[in-house]
Amino acid sequence: MSADPPPMGDLLRLYAIAPHLGADELRRGVCRVLTGDDPRPGPWPWPEGRHGQVLRHAGVTAEVAGSWDGPQLWLRVAHDSQHASRAAELLADIAASAGETARHPRPRPAARHDRRDGNDAPGNRSTPGYRAWRAMMRRWDVPGTGRAEIAVPGRLDPVDPTDHDIPSEAPQGVDGVAPLTFVFDHTPARQPPPGWLLRSWFFPAAGRFHCSWEASGRLRVRTPRTADRPQAVALLSVWRAVTAELDVRPDLPPDALNIPPRAFVLAARDVSPSA
């Protein structure tokens, strides 16, 4: 029996702080952007959530909490949300709307097509981390349907059909290869709006294991599914070891790298249950 593909889950998750705003101003900005309403000042009917008061609308969950260093915002955007196509810009939109309600409004951010913050540019594909990831995909015979890359937030780049390092079809006898098992994310977190602090940004787009090489050189592997977190930790450990090999000897060919078998790394989750 083949494994079912993982659920799509969230497209974007972020955690940000707005030191220059009040909590009510932030709630009003969130409400304007998500619902199109312009609520009047007064008590908020939002229910209490894990962190603060929660607004759920059109596949987006926003949670706002007051804090001594400014109101905090947790935002989750589902893949099927009507806001999914502009998920990467939601924080800027909320900041602009909230700023208009502040006592001393900040300038509205520039239009999307005028912003040039460098976040939409593909990452450097010559880094040891990326080369190690590609070598792992090759050694594990991951088919083109099993991996993808993100060069622009929220968009998956298909495997190049001329890429001979990656087989175009799943090898015979390998069960449980779900589509988009591995995703390499070249995009860093977007620059926050002026005056905001961005504490956490996760833009998985799709895939069971979301791998990223950050500007600081840090490798990260995350997964939308709690059950796959132990395998994400194991995958990260192997990826770090292979990257370290290439750091020391950048001339090593992929076949000479010390890459353990995929079944060993992802042993608990990579084999489908029997019928």
Side-chain angles (χ1 to χ4, degrees):
M1 177 185 293
S2 296
D4 293 330
M8 295 300 285
D10 293 334
L11 173 69
L12 169 68
R13 305 174 197 173
L14 66 81
Y15 165 42
I17 302 176
H20 58 290
L21 294 175
D24 281 354
E25 293 162 347
L26 179 53
R27 292 189 191 97
R28 190 164 292 112
V30 169
C31 197
R32 282 176 169 177
V33 171
L34 298 187
T35 71
D37 293 336
D38 194 1
R40 299 176 181 177
W44 289 93
W46 295 13
E48 289 293 329
R50 179 181 177 185
H51 302 289
Q53 291 181 295
V54 181
L55 172 65
R56 295 183 176 89
H57 183 80
V60 178
T61 300
E63 198 164 355
V64 176
S67 174
W68 66 270
D69 56 350
Q72 303 176 352
L73 170 66
W74 288 264
L75 196 68
R76 298 200 310 272
V77 183
H79 276 271
D80 56 356
S81 167
Q82 68 184 43
H83 297 283
S85 62
R86 60 190 188 98
E89 306 294 346
L90 274 181
L91 185 60
D93 292 344
I94 290 170
S97 293
E100 291 175 352
T101 71
R103 190 171 303 171
H104 302 290
R106 287 180 172 267
R108 190 178 183 92
R112 293 189 187 101
H113 62 274
D114 291 334
R115 287 209 292 267
R116 295 292 183 269
D117 55 16
N119 285 309
D120 289 340
N124 184 352
R125 286 175 165 81
S126 65
T127 61
Y130 177 66
R131 292 176 57 213
W133 185 82
R134 279 179 57 91
M136 292 162 62
M137 299 298 100
R138 176 181 177 180
R139 184 73 59 84
W140 292 345
D141 291 328
V142 178
T145 57
R147 67 97 164 167
E149 299 180 27
I150 302 174
V152 176
R155 191 188 76 194
L156 288 165
D157 293 333
V159 175
D160 185 347
T162 65
D163 184 352
H164 298 295
D165 285 349
I166 306 297
S168 59
E169 297 180 357
Q172 295 296 322
V174 177
D175 295 325
V177 180
L180 294 182
T181 303
F182 304 96
V183 174
F184 191 98
D185 189 352
H186 295 275
T187 64
R190 301 187 74 85
Q191 292 295 320
W196 284 69
L197 302 174
L198 187 60
R199 296 302 194 196
S200 176
W201 169 279
F202 182 29
F203 212 140
R208 201 170 113 195
F209 299 107
H210 181 270
C211 307
S212 59
W213 166 274
E214 300 185 350
S216 64
R218 180 186 182 189
L219 303 178
R220 298 193 70 175
V221 177
R222 288 173 285 184
T223 177
R225 302 197 303 180
T226 302
D228 286 333
R229 287 178 183 171
Q231 287 67 43
V233 172
L235 175 60
L236 177 60
S237 178
V238 172
W239 188 20
R240 284 174 174 167
V242 178
T243 300
E245 276 193 277
L246 284 173
D247 274 330
V248 175
R249 295 188 57 188
D251 58 333
L252 277 177
D255 291 340
L257 293 169
N258 184 26
I259 302 175
R262 168 175 163 160
F264 175 80
V265 178
L266 306 179
R269 298 291 300 180
D270 207 39
V271 179
S272 302
S274 301

